[in-house]
Amino acid sequence: MTDDTFLDLAADRLAALPSVRAVTLGGSRAQGTGTPDSDWDLALYYRGAFDPDDLRALARAGGWDGEVSGVGDWGGGVFNGGAWLTVEGRRVDVHYRDLDVVEHELDESRQGRFHWEPLMFHLAGIPSYLVVAELALNRVLRGALPRPAYPEALREAAPRVWRGRAALTLQYAKAAYIPRGQVTETAGAVATAAMETAHAVLAARGEWVTNEKRLLQRAGLRGVDAIAGGLRPDPETLASALAEAETLFDKAV
């Protein structure tokens, strides 16, 4: 089965689920940066209640092996659940997207408002406007969805929030970790602050972010690797490294 045939098959079956209004392709494959080994990221946009049992039944009927989560199992925020499946020999991630939530966050972003949420596998967590970024970047396979530009109000507001978080992250490391010579905790703080700063840089540019995989490269912050690699378990070395990180982050634009 060709990739195009597979994608049509998956999109048709997901779009036919009750309450689903649209299906999109996201991730690297939608943005043209994927490789033959890349996963296929599909999102189903639903209105009202969505029952994961309908997706489980579809998976069983189609021989799609994997795991289907309940709504809210991924933290209950804007990323509220999904599935990891194997479809026609391909690794497929399915994300649930509540259209009421997505439309709310789109309106909020246009006012320069957002909130922060923790999410597994993301050091800095995620901004609620990430689901707006998906609207802007994902390829709509079935249904219709808005394609928003980056809101000017968000470009104004988000960098201050993210840089404030980065500053507090490093401030806490100075007070709690460095005097004790705690390398692991300091490294974690530097890495988290680097991601937070990268969010600030890209927001100021009006560039959408959907995950952290290439965030540091895009923000020109890959130099933090050398700082993290030089950490040693003594307060003087850690303090010097943290100061170097602060300089790197302050200069990032």
Side-chain angles (χ1 to χ4, degrees):
M1 182 178 291
T2 67
D3 286 345
D4 288 342
T5 302
F6 146 75
L7 200 55
D8 278 338
L9 170 70
D12 283 341
R13 293 185 178 178
L14 291 173
L17 292 174
S19 77
V20 172
R21 299 292 180 266
V23 177
T24 67
L25 172 68
S28 60
R29 290 190 179 274
Q31 297 175 41
T33 59
T35 69
D37 295 329
S38 295
D39 293 348
W40 294 80
D41 295 313
L42 300 177
L44 51 86
Y45 289 78
Y46 63 89
R47 180 77 71 186
F50 172 74
D51 189 348
D53 282 341
D54 293 327
L55 179 56
R56 293 187 182 101
L58 170 62
R60 285 194 299 270
W64 298 359
D65 294 329
E67 178 182 347
V68 178
S69 82
V71 173
D73 283 0
W74 291 5
V78 295
F79 271 58
N80 66 345
W84 297 278
L85 301 168
T86 300
V87 180
E88 301 297 332
R90 295 164 175 85
R91 298 190 309 276
V92 176
D93 295 342
V94 178
H95 298 155
Y96 307 156
R97 293 290 178 266
D98 184 329
L99 275 167
D100 290 338
V101 171
V102 172
E103 289 167 355
H104 171 75
E105 297 305 336
L106 175 57
D107 289 340
E108 287 287 280
S109 72
R110 287 170 171 164
Q111 301 301 316
R113 296 192 295 262
F114 70 98
H115 64 272
W116 172 90
E117 293 182 0
L119 184 66
M120 287 286 288
F121 319 122
H122 290 70
L123 291 176
I126 61 167
S128 55
Y129 59 77
L130 198 147
V131 293
V132 183
E134 291 178 333
L135 291 178
L137 298 175
N138 286 6
R139 174 183 160 196
V140 178
L141 303 175
R142 300 292 183 272
L145 292 168
R147 175 91 46 188
Y150 205 105
E152 191 61 33
L154 194 62
R155 290 186 67 173
E156 290 288 330
R160 292 193 301 270
V161 173
W162 283 114
R163 285 195 180 273
R165 293 186 67 89
L168 289 174
T169 299
L170 295 181
Q171 181 179 328
Y172 187 84
K174 289 179 186 178
Y177 303 146
I178 287 177
R180 297 178 173 88
Q182 293 174 313
V183 172
T184 299
E185 292 88 339
T186 302
V190 169
T192 300
M195 293 294 186
E196 292 164 338
T197 303
H199 272 290
V201 169
L202 294 179
R205 295 178 188 166
E207 295 183 15
W208 293 113
V209 173
T210 57
N211 58 57
E212 291 183 344
K213 292 177 182 177
R214 296 178 178 85
L215 191 52
L216 295 183
Q217 289 96 319
R218 291 177 61 192
L221 289 171
R222 201 72 263 173
V224 75
D225 291 341
I227 298 172
L231 297 180
R232 297 293 181 269
D234 70 85
E236 184 177 349
T237 300
L238 294 179
S240 176
L242 204 69
E244 188 178 354
E246 286 180 313
T247 299
L248 175 67
F249 301 160
D250 287 344
K251 291 180 177 180
V253 292

